Amino acid sequence: WIARPEVQDQFRRTVKMQLDGKLEDFLAGGGSLPMSPKAHHSPASVALSGAIGVSPPKSPNRRSYPSAINSALSQNRDSHSLRKSDPSSERRGDGKDAYASNFNATTTSVHAPVASDINQEQIDRFWFGRKQKTPSKELTTEEWDLINQMFEDHPQGITDHTALEPLLTQHLGLSKYLSDTLLKNIRIFGGLAETAPVTKAVFGKWWAGRIRLGDPVSNFFYVMKKDTFEWIEGEDMRPYVWGLLNRHPGLDFLHDSPEFQERYADTVICRILYAYDRHDLRRVYLRELRSKRPNVVETWRRLDQEDDINKIRDFFFV
């Protein structure tokens, strides 16, 4: 409205009249200049507050709330006012209870309805409780069936790490590139010689307390960590990274350079610790292993299907 020609003209006339000392005569003669009671009576404020016959546009109305919400909010305000006016009600708890009940009524009336047709089977599990449960030390019938099935082809015991690969990839959700280091660790656990066969009894004892079917992250954690610790350290991962170095076709070019192999192992371990070690302790806990994305367990598993390691952009690229 201030850009209108008639407003501009009135502004100029008002200022000129003030300068000429004629504004008082104009007002005494019946001129009307609507102003706010709190406005300053300067020539500019007189002109800007409103010109003769011209009024500025009004502000838009406040947002109107639904009547149910307004009613609930007014109840809250009334209850709050009563509680402030009667301090003894706080000591008795009456005002607090009334306020809380009205607040609950308000939130109940405002909340949107919850969808009831969500298929829970399509939602990935994202909460495992504050305390991570360790795998059971009692093997289930299903677990014994898997072990018996694996040892049917190796009645004298397992001597080659490739015999572990179907179990790792199909049932435990782990990478086949963990199998050679895993077989060495099982021999150490059973107190066996370096080339001795791993029997079903030794394998069953090693399984108990470490493996849980349907939980690849837990399996990865308990397979890799030391038995005396509740975390994975960088050095726990080194033998498994070396197993990857020795077997993955995308890393064959490093076989003639042991120094570069060592640097590659250091780099992979540092990348994993950088992603998971929140407190710079060079440790990875199970809860952190579950929470981070990209998931190192899934990424390690992807190496089974990809010969070009540089296509795996997380942790393992050269």
Side-chain angles (χ1 to χ4, degrees), residues 147-189:
I147 294 173
N148 290 331
Q149 182 180 355
M150 182 176 64
F151 279 90
E152 284 180 358
D153 299 330
H154 308 278
Q156 303 301 320
I158 295 175
T159 57
D160 187 8
H161 66 84
T162 56
L164 297 176
E165 291 181 1
L167 178 70
L168 290 175
T169 58
Q170 298 173 19
H171 302 287
L172 304 188
L174 302 178
S175 170
K176 67 180 182 180
Y177 292 114
L178 304 179
S179 61
D180 53 346
T181 304
L182 178 59
L183 184 60
K184 295 176 184 177
N185 288 342
I186 295 175
R187 287 192 176 112
I188 294 172
F189 168 81

Side-chain angles (χ1 to χ4, degrees), residues 135-139 143-144 147 150-151 158 164 167-168 172 174 178-192 198-213 218-227 240:
S136 173
K137 293 187 178 182
E138 297 293 332
L139 273 66
E143 291 172 337
W144 273 120
I147 294 173
M150 182 176 64
F151 279 90
I158 295 175
L164 297 176
L167 178 70
L168 290 175
L172 304 188
L174 302 178
L178 304 179
S179 61
D180 53 346
T181 304
L182 178 59
L183 184 60
K184 295 176 184 177
N185 288 342
I186 295 175
R187 287 192 176 112
I188 294 172
F189 168 81
L192 305 176
V198 174
T199 62
K200 181 168 63 174
V202 171
F203 190 82
K205 291 179 180 178
W206 172 86
W207 181 296
R210 287 183 176 85
I211 302 301
R212 180 189 300 164
L213 294 178
S218 175
N219 296 337
F220 180 90
F221 179 78
Y222 284 100
V223 162
M224 196 162 289
K225 79 176 188 69
K226 296 183 180 71
D227 292 341
Y240 292 94

